[in-house]
Amino acid sequence: MSKWDERYLTDDYVFGTEPNQFIARILPLLPKGGRALDLATGEGRNGIFLAEHGFEAEGVDMSAVGLEKAQKLAAEKGVRFATRQENIAEMVLPPEHYALIASVFCHFAEPVRTQVLQRMIDALQPGGMFAGVFYHPDQIALGTGGPKDAAMLGTLNEMQQALAGLEWLIAEHEVITLGEGSRHQGESSVLHLLGRKP
């Protein structure tokens, strides 16, 4: 059993059932429906939020336990939410397929980070959007969630370089207070990115 299966093996939703606050905040800026992909969907909170707002949403994650809970949550909320168990670092996506790809706290070290994110840009339709929430390297000292390996965390400039090819609507580094389930609690150093593919 993977560490993520073990983490999700509880009746509680460890990151809560509500969307990340940035994903909720940018909803008015997002495309009005279409296909949406939620990377590292876990228990599904962000992808299901997109499904509730008119997207044909799919979540991908390595954890079968998390995906099972995502399906349960989608049923409770009365929406269709497709799930796929796959390794994000290796999966193949059709080109120009998605109107929106969301990535909330899905971290990779280089060179995998740029490889994955460039594949995501390729998978966006022209005019499609990428919405990303990532921990900044300063997060390690705060200790309120996220990877402990600094190589997995990028600065704003580094993340924008990994996502080269997008036009930026929002690119910010903020210290905010998170309250997402039991795992993301307290002062947190995060990057918020919203880009459009030309």
Side-chain angles (χ1 to χ4, degrees), residues 22-23 26 30 37-39 50 99-105 117 124 128-134 163 166 168 170 191-196:
F22 180 66
I23 299 300
I26 62 174
L30 298 180
L37 179 66
D38 183 34
L39 300 178
L50 296 173
L100 173 66
I101 296 178
S103 177
V104 178
F105 298 128
L117 292 176
L124 285 174
M129 290 189 180
F130 177 88
V133 181
F134 304 97
L163 286 155
L166 296 177
W168 296 106
I170 299 172
L191 306 175
H192 292 147
L193 292 165
L194 180 62
R196 180 187 287 117

Side-chain angles (χ1 to χ4, degrees), residues 70-88:
Q71 287 295 346
K72 180 183 172 190
L73 182 62
E76 288 173 3
K77 289 182 178 277
V79 295
R80 292 181 56 152
F81 182 56
T83 51
R84 182 176 7 158
Q85 185 180 5
E86 200 157 357
N87 183 341
I88 292 164

Side-chain angles (χ1 to χ4, degrees), residues 16-184:
T17 58
E18 296 304 310
N20 174 269
Q21 56 189 258
F22 180 66
I23 299 300
R25 180 181 119 200
I26 62 174
L27 183 64
L29 303 175
L30 298 180
K32 303 301 180 225
R35 287 185 291 261
L37 179 66
D38 183 34
L39 300 178
T41 197
E43 300 161 315
R45 63 192 177 109
N46 295 302
I48 289 166
F49 174 78
L50 296 173
E52 289 180 292
H53 288 88
F55 286 92
E56 184 186 329
E58 175 186 16
V60 62
D61 202 278
M62 290 180 71
S63 170
V65 176
L67 293 175
E68 190 174 320
K69 291 172 77 175
Q71 287 295 346
K72 180 183 172 190
L73 182 62
E76 288 173 3
K77 289 182 178 277
V79 295
R80 292 181 56 152
F81 182 56
T83 51
R84 182 176 7 158
Q85 185 180 5
E86 200 157 357
N87 183 341
I88 292 164
E90 298 172 357
M91 70 179 186
V92 177
L93 294 173
E96 300 189 354
H97 187 72
Y98 294 99
L100 173 66
I101 296 178
S103 177
V104 178
F105 298 128
C106 178
H107 299 94
F108 296 100
E110 291 292 5
V112 176
R113 174 194 300 151
T114 294
Q115 292 166 357
V116 168
L117 292 176
Q118 285 298 312
R119 283 210 311 275
M120 297 306 137
I121 293 173
D122 290 344
L124 285 174
Q125 300 163 353
M129 290 189 180
F130 177 88
V133 181
F134 304 97
Y135 282 119
H136 184 276
D138 291 351
Q139 174 65 14
I140 292 176
L142 295 175
T144 52
K148 305 292 185 275
D149 179 1
M152 296 186 72
L153 304 177
T155 64
L156 185 58
N157 183 54
E158 287 167 343
M159 295 308 297
Q160 286 180 280
Q161 286 180 351
L163 286 155
L166 296 177
E167 298 171 344
W168 296 106
L169 285 74
I170 299 172
E172 60 192 20
H173 171 213
E174 293 186 301
V175 177
I176 59 174
T177 300
L178 286 179
E180 301 181 330
S182 59
R183 303 293 304 196
H184 290 164

